[in-house]
Amino acid sequence: MAKIRLITDTGSDLKLPVAERYNIRLLPFAYSYDGETYLRSQIDESAEDFYKRLSEADNPPKTTQITPAQYADVFREELDAGYDTIIVVTLSGSASGTCQNAHIAAAEVMEERSCDIRIVDSQTFTCLYAQPVIHAAKMVKHGASADEVENYLKDATADFGAVFVVSDLEHLKKGGRINAATLLFANMLDIKPILTVDGGLVVQTDKVRGEKRVNKKIIETAVKTAGDLNGKTIIGAYADSRDKLEALIEEIKAQFPDVNVRYCRLGPIIGTHGGPTLYGFAYSSSGRFDISDYEED
């Protein structure tokens, strides 16, 4: 029987204690405010400190990819530790070159050694692939084959959906993701973009005028795909906006009193791009995947 090692990255917002609990190796992305001093996400700075610095910074930090050399070193370490099969789940390859870097490293190491290294492009972000990785780790523990684990990961990450909102667009302007004229127009009309994940990218699916209508539109957008949320588990995700998320959860429970809620604090890699006001929730689009075993810490 193959000895399988699961690896993912901190773009998943999988927390270190959970990764350690389930024997998942967690590779940190790095980010820098000055282009010289790089911080490893989840290791060198707490979420609280990160969001404090983010709110005060003139410009958001720059994130870096995990390089082929870094991946190759990790693969060799795991093989030396006695694993013969490695399954890597990465941040969306449509949004980052990290997935391609993992493929490059896997090809190099498999040419050197007799081993099996598989790369799963999650085509998504944050807890939308952390949850499948947690479940996959439990499958490994109970003796599932590499094929079973890989197929589950591909099916689950393809199924998971999410709806988010950025309630303050100023951060997107700082990061160069919208221009000043768009920001002025949006602020004048109090427009909030409703975001989903499609094709491995974060895209705007709708927009709402006025804060009061935002949560209603978030719920409507999710229900179109997921249907009745009663008896299902959702994962409420937030940057530095727990109060706004709780208001959303309250509205969800008013409509679906039997919904189960888990929570995910977005880390530096997602927070850098979305900003401190990003919040929303993730769910199984088809309802086929039970995500109630998601763990925040």
Side-chain angles (χ1 to χ4, degrees):
M1 181 182 294
K3 188 176 182 183
I4 302 171
R5 178 64 147 160
L6 275 176
I7 298 175
T8 193
D9 55 63
T10 52
S12 67
D13 291 318
L14 181 69
K15 304 304 184 288
L16 278 169
V18 180
E20 291 170 355
R21 189 177 307 138
Y22 292 109
N23 196 35
I24 302 163
R25 181 152 182 176
L26 190 60
L27 304 185
F29 280 96
Y31 59 97
S32 172
Y33 286 90
D34 59 12
E36 297 178 2
T37 306
Y38 281 86
L39 301 170
R40 295 166 298 170
S41 60
Q42 292 205 41
I43 297 174
D44 296 325
E45 187 174 51
S46 69
E48 289 72 20
D49 289 342
F50 166 74
Y51 283 113
K52 183 176 186 299
R53 289 181 65 178
L54 185 66
S55 65
E56 296 171 350
D58 292 333
N59 297 297
K62 302 294 184 181
T63 58
T64 66
Q65 299 174 7
I66 301 170
T67 67
Q70 289 173 318
Y71 270 120
D73 287 345
V74 167
F75 295 160
R76 293 184 184 105
E77 286 177 16
E78 297 301 341
L79 295 172
D80 289 344
Y83 294 96
D84 52 40
T85 302
I86 298 171
I87 301 177
V88 186
V89 189
T90 73
L91 180 78
S92 172
S94 297
S96 168
T98 293
C99 180
Q100 181 60 29
N101 292 346
H103 278 287
I104 293 169
E108 176 185 331
V109 174
M110 284 192 291
E111 188 173 340
E112 294 174 1
R113 305 195 187 188
S114 176
C115 62
D116 182 7
I117 304 175
R118 308 182 185 201
I119 312 300
V120 177
D121 180 354
S122 75
Q123 282 288 286
T124 194
F125 308 87
T126 187
C127 56
L128 282 81
Y129 66 107
Q131 161 59 29
V133 169
I134 292 171
H135 190 82
K138 295 179 179 180
M139 293 175 65
V140 170
K141 183 178 179 180
H142 289 95
S145 69
D147 285 345
E148 289 171 330
V149 173
E150 181 182 20
N151 289 336
Y152 164 78
L153 285 165
K154 289 179 176 178
D155 290 345
T157 53
D159 180 76
F160 283 15
V163 186
F164 293 89
V165 66
V166 177
S167 59
D168 182 355
L169 301 181
E170 182 63 36
H171 178 85
L172 298 182
K173 176 179 175 291
K174 288 182 179 180
R177 295 176 183 89
I178 60 173
N179 60 35
T182 301
L183 175 66
L184 177 62
F185 180 74
N187 284 342
M188 285 176 60
L189 298 180
D190 196 17
I191 291 174
K192 314 295 182 186
I194 306 298
L195 309 172
T196 60
V197 179
D198 185 32
L201 297 171
V202 175
V203 298
Q204 178 177 306
T205 186
D206 210 334
K207 55 188 176 184
V208 178
R209 186 174 179 181
E211 190 79 31
K212 292 182 179 179
R213 299 177 58 195
V214 167
N215 289 347
K216 180 180 179 182
K217 177 57 70 172
I218 290 175
I219 298 168
E220 285 178 356
T221 302
V223 168
K224 284 180 184 177
T225 304
D228 188 346
L229 298 177
N230 278 312
K232 297 178 182 177
T233 299
I234 62 172
I235 304 174
Y238 65 102
D240 204 28
S241 47
R242 179 70 181 247
D243 56 337
K244 291 183 179 294
L245 174 62
E246 291 294 359
L248 170 62
I249 297 299
E250 188 174 323
E251 289 193 39
I252 294 172
K253 288 185 173 180
Q255 293 186 46
F256 305 101
D258 292 329
V259 69
N260 302 306
V261 182
R262 300 288 185 269
Y263 289 89
C264 172
R265 181 76 181 273
L266 301 174
I269 303 310
I270 305 303
T272 288
H273 299 284
T277 65
L278 184 68
Y279 73 96
F281 71 98
Y283 49 87
S284 168
S285 296
S286 68
R288 292 189 299 114
F289 294 91
D290 179 12
I291 59 178
S292 61
D293 58 355
Y294 178 76
E295 297 179 37
E296 166 72 357
D297 51 34

